[in-house]
Amino acid sequence: MSSGTILKVSGPLVVAEGMKDASMFDIVRVSKHRLIGEIIEIRGDKASIQVYEETSGICPGEPVESTNEPMSVELGPGLIGSIFDGIQRPLDDVMKITGNNLTRGIEVPSLKRDRKWKFEPSVTVGAEVTGGDVVGTVQETDVVLHKIMVPPTVKGKIKSIEKGEFTVTDTVAVVETDKGDVPIQLMQKWPVRKGRPVSRKLPPDKPLITGQRVIDCLFPIAKGGVAAIPGPFGSGKTVTQHQLAKWSEADIVVYIGCGERGNEMTDVLNEFPELIDPHTGKSLMERTVLIANTSDMPVAAREASIYTGITIAEYFRDMGYSVALMADSTSRWAEALREMSGRLEEMPGEEGYPAYLGSRLAQFYERAGRVVALGSDGREGALSIIGAVSPPGGDISEPVSQATLRIVKVFWGLDANLAYKRHFPAINWLTSYSLYVDTLKKWYDSNVSPEWMQLRGKVLSILSDEAELEEIVKLVGIDALSPADRLKMETARSIREDFLHQLAFHEIDTYTSLNKQLLMMKLILAFYDLGLEALNSGGDIDAISSLPVREQIGRFKYVREEDITGEFEKIMNQLQKQMQDSIVMEEI
């Protein structure tokens, strides 16, 4: 264990001398308070340390101790349902020791050492195992079966394995290897800055179904994909991420509050335990890991929270689960990078952000993916990352948004104007995009309907045409439009208000299956197609626009899943009859 003394203190940056035996990214204990820090730069025997706790009152000359180990997280039973800070200290255990005020330098194990877990072996003595193989399971919650895996670098033969109740530090099995016996515990450690290895990555050709119509239909994300949600304050970033955490087809949710306001994080901490998981009927926390790092916590800890979260997510991905990681928000992390870069006196890039901002963001997002995990059973897991970006004033031309957009394949651009109109989710259909559409086409064709992509294209085309027509209407009024264009405007309004607008707090409308989304698109577009036929046959646009059946089309989103087929046929028959009657009435 190497040690030195503090030379300089500058906010979260501490420079120590006499650290010639230390290595980059080693965890160190700073001053007599034993604050946690990480070495981020070494010059000669001087080490620059970013400290993850408040540094006020620390003086030059105080001791610095290196642990000679990189920052690592503890991975094992007890992660699910826990609430950690940015450096994986369990906040409930910290509160028992310190009360409501977080004491500096407090040392608490990340996983509870006294809790016992029931271990069920899945291999026998003499079995050949390699890195990633499952040697047994622990029923962590009612919905999560925790798989105990051989560490990635271990390969050999099971020498002994026991069934029973163990703590996370107890040895449950021993693997005999060429280099000697290796004990297997319920817990393993992994350095956060190093991605966990996989057998191979798979193409992103399966969608992550979210039940949110604007996402699933217009701008889908693949399982193992990456998406960004930029938007100004109040446009619904957090609400959208809550919806995705609750409804997306993910087995495990890892939610990182990275530098967000304390009240937002408090809402998450209060709401998630009370939310009922629609997939299991249990509390949502039974498949969730929360990492809380608020804006009033030390700036440097934001970076730690991002890496802690992604490493925990990779661990569950390696078990063969589909994991959704919500990072709210990466802009706060970028601000922490900017502050540390400034204190290190590095050459600044655009708007003062470090020149390596883009590469740091890329290193984070590239750890997503659908993969075949290590191990002989070929488990398939996926890690999807949805990162919120908080550009000042909603201006996405700023460096963090632009660097993120160069990396991610899905852009859900939130619009303050839509939010002020109470249109949620406030995802702007004219600026958003998904680059996964082509690779997902085959899945939608075979699992939903061959018409899906054609209907999607038609919906986007009508919305795009509406934007152009609105400019004309502003200049000369709607009466100057042709009947066909007025019909298109009416159809676009129906798409916006009846299809894209979705109530997160309505028991039925909060989630829409792909089959129901398909029928909704068919109804709205049938109104458009039959309306064009009626106009060509001499129908009146005012009569077509005021058909009573339009009310039923709009209310179709509130129909329960089990009733949608019958209701669809009923509305379609009424639409055809009323459209025909409008032509006859016009002729009379």
Side-chain angles (χ1 to χ4, degrees):
M1 188 176 283
S2 54
S3 59
T5 54
I6 295 176
L7 189 66
K8 168 182 143 185
V9 180
S10 173
L13 175 70
V14 168
V15 179
E17 59 184 353
M19 304 289 290
K20 59 180 182 296
D21 296 329
S23 304
M24 278 289 285
F25 302 123
D26 275 0
I27 287 296
V28 295
R29 289 288 180 173
V30 178
S31 84
K32 60 179 184 290
H33 297 291
R34 293 184 60 75
L35 309 184
I36 296 176
E38 184 182 21
I39 295 175
I40 55 173
E41 184 180 270
I42 294 177
R43 293 185 183 180
D45 73 334
K46 292 188 179 119
S48 296
I49 302 159
Q50 64 176 358
V51 182
Y52 294 134
E53 300 183 77
E54 179 59 51
T55 58
S56 59
I58 291 171
C59 310
E62 290 194 55
V64 173
E65 245 178 48
S66 171
T67 60
N68 295 333
E69 289 182 356
M71 188 166 83
S72 303
V73 288
E74 294 183 354
L75 304 169
L79 287 171
I80 298 292
S82 293
I83 302 166
F84 299 106
D85 71 356
I87 44 181
Q88 211 201 3
R89 291 183 298 196
L91 294 179
D92 58 339
D93 286 350
V94 170
M95 188 175 170
K96 286 173 190 172
I97 298 169
T98 67
N100 289 333
N101 296 317
L102 190 62
T103 306
R104 295 192 295 177
I106 187 166
E107 296 182 48
V108 181
S110 301
L111 298 179
K112 292 174 173 56
R113 298 295 192 257
D114 54 350
R115 182 169 179 182
K116 291 201 168 184
W117 301 92
K118 189 176 180 183
F119 175 71
E120 292 284 346
S122 56
V123 295
T124 54
V125 173
E128 293 284 343
V129 292
T130 184
D133 279 348
V134 176
V135 296
T137 57
V138 169
Q139 192 69 49
E140 187 170 358
T141 68
D142 288 345
V143 296
V144 175
L145 185 68
H146 196 110
K147 297 168 186 174
I148 306 303
M149 298 174 288
V150 178
T153 55
V154 176
K155 182 179 182 181
K157 189 185 289 185
I158 295 289
K159 186 177 180 180
S160 67
I161 189 163
E162 296 179 60
K163 177 182 178 180
E165 294 198 347
F166 303 95
T167 65
V168 289
T169 53
D170 290 338
T171 298
V172 296
V174 175
V175 178
E176 189 179 342
T177 71
D178 298 339
K179 298 175 183 176
D181 292 351
V182 176
I184 304 292
Q185 302 173 333
L186 295 185
M187 175 188 84
Q188 54 180 274
K189 285 191 169 187
W190 191 263
V192 297
R193 290 181 182 270
K194 181 181 175 186
R196 287 177 63 88
V198 298
S199 284
R200 69 179 191 276
K201 279 203 170 186
L202 299 170
D205 54 12
K206 293 181 180 177
L208 179 69
I209 309 302
T210 66
Q212 311 307 302
R213 295 187 288 269
V214 66
I215 292 174
D216 289 343
C217 175
L218 301 189
F219 313 111
I221 177 176
K223 265 190 181 173
V226 288
I229 317 181
F233 176 73
S235 58
K237 294 186 292 295
T238 305
V239 171
T240 305
Q241 285 192 317
H242 282 203
Q243 279 294 92
L244 296 175
K246 186 177 181 183
W247 290 105
S248 63
E249 270 186 1
D251 304 308
I252 308 288
V253 175
V254 178
Y255 194 101
I256 307 169
C258 177
E260 281 303 292
R261 294 167 186 82
N263 60 331
E264 285 191 18
M265 205 61 228
T266 304
D267 286 344
V268 174
L269 300 181
N270 286 335
E271 286 173 17
F272 269 43
E274 293 177 8
L275 286 174
I276 299 302
D277 182 354
H279 301 297
T280 63
K282 309 282 185 181
S283 166
L284 189 62
M285 283 302 288
E286 294 211 4
R287 61 181 181 94
T288 302
V289 182
L290 290 178
I291 295 166
N293 179 269
T294 58
S295 53
D296 61 344
M297 288 180 175
V299 165
R302 295 176 188 178
E303 183 168 23
S305 66
I306 286 285
Y307 286 117
T308 297
I310 192 82
T311 308
I312 291 171
E314 284 179 330
Y315 176 62
F316 284 106
R317 174 208 66 191
D318 291 349
M319 292 183 199
Y321 290 122
S322 171
V323 185
L325 182 139
M326 312 289 164
D328 187 14
S329 99
T330 54
S331 292
R332 310 280 177 251
W333 169 33
E335 287 165 9
L337 288 177
R338 178 167 62 182
E339 176 162 345
M340 291 307 300
S341 176
R343 292 185 185 277
L344 286 167
E345 298 176 6
E346 295 172 337
M347 182 70 75
E350 191 180 353
E351 291 189 22
Y353 287 101
Y356 48 78
L357 171 67
S359 63
R360 284 287 177 88
L361 288 169
Q363 285 168 13
F364 168 66
Y365 281 110
E366 73 178 3
R367 289 170 74 169
R370 193 164 68 92
V371 304
V372 174
L374 290 181
S376 51
D377 60 352
R379 293 185 305 279
E380 187 182 303
L383 169 52
S384 313
I385 300 178
I386 294 140
V389 184
S390 310
D395 176 18
I396 63 165
S397 65
E398 55 88 42
V400 183
S401 300
Q402 288 303 306
T404 304
L405 293 185
R406 284 195 289 270
I407 300 158
V408 302
K409 299 290 182 66
V410 179
F411 169 66
W412 298 321
L414 294 176
D415 190 320
N417 291 329
L418 286 174
Y420 293 145
K421 291 174 185 173
R422 298 292 184 266
H423 179 108
F424 289 103
I427 294 173
N428 189 315
W429 47 86
L430 298 175
T431 58
S432 302
Y433 61 81
S434 170
L435 301 181
Y436 292 118
V437 172
D438 292 340
T439 53
L440 296 176
K441 181 180 185 303
K442 187 178 177 183
W443 188 94
Y444 279 111
D445 286 350
S446 56
N447 290 276
V448 188
S449 166
E451 298 177 273
W452 180 274
M453 285 299 170
Q454 181 188 349
L455 294 171
R456 173 189 177 275
K458 201 166 180 181
V459 164
L460 280 172
S461 174
I462 289 171
L463 289 171
S464 176
D465 290 347
E466 182 204 27
E468 295 176 13
L469 292 171
E470 273 185 338
E471 297 300 318
I472 298 171
V473 170
K474 285 174 185 173
L475 289 171
V476 292
I478 197 162
D479 294 333
L481 296 181
S482 66
D485 283 342
R486 285 182 63 187
L487 177 66
K488 189 172 281 186
M489 293 282 284
E490 285 295 320
T491 308
R493 184 166 69 90
S494 186
I495 292 170
R496 284 188 286 105
E497 296 178 2
D498 303 333
F499 185 72
L500 297 181
H501 182 268
Q502 191 166 356
L503 293 171
F505 299 104
H506 191 281
E507 59 173 348
I508 298 172
D509 195 34
T510 185
Y511 177 89
T512 309
S513 68
L514 293 184
N515 186 39
K516 187 175 177 182
Q517 292 182 39
L518 178 76
L519 298 181
M520 289 176 74
M521 284 194 288
K522 280 185 171 181
L523 280 176
I524 294 169
L525 294 176
F527 166 76
Y528 179 65
D529 293 336
L530 291 171
L532 280 178
E533 289 176 19
L535 288 175
N536 292 334
S537 302
D540 176 57
I541 182 61
D542 291 324
I544 293 169
S545 299
S546 57
L547 291 180
V549 76
R550 293 196 66 193
E551 174 76 17
Q552 289 171 272
I553 293 173
R555 298 197 64 77
F556 184 70
K557 61 183 174 183
Y558 303 125
V559 176
R560 295 189 179 276
E561 288 288 336
E562 58 267 25
D563 303 328
I564 55 174
T565 306
E567 189 68 18
F568 170 78
E569 290 170 359
K570 178 181 163 189
I571 295 173
M572 190 63 88
N573 290 335
Q574 288 187 358
L575 177 62
Q576 291 169 337
K577 182 178 183 302
Q578 290 181 22
M579 200 66 80
Q580 193 62 39
D581 290 347
S582 73
I583 301 170
V584 174
M585 288 294 293
E586 184 64 24
E587 288 174 352
I588 293 170

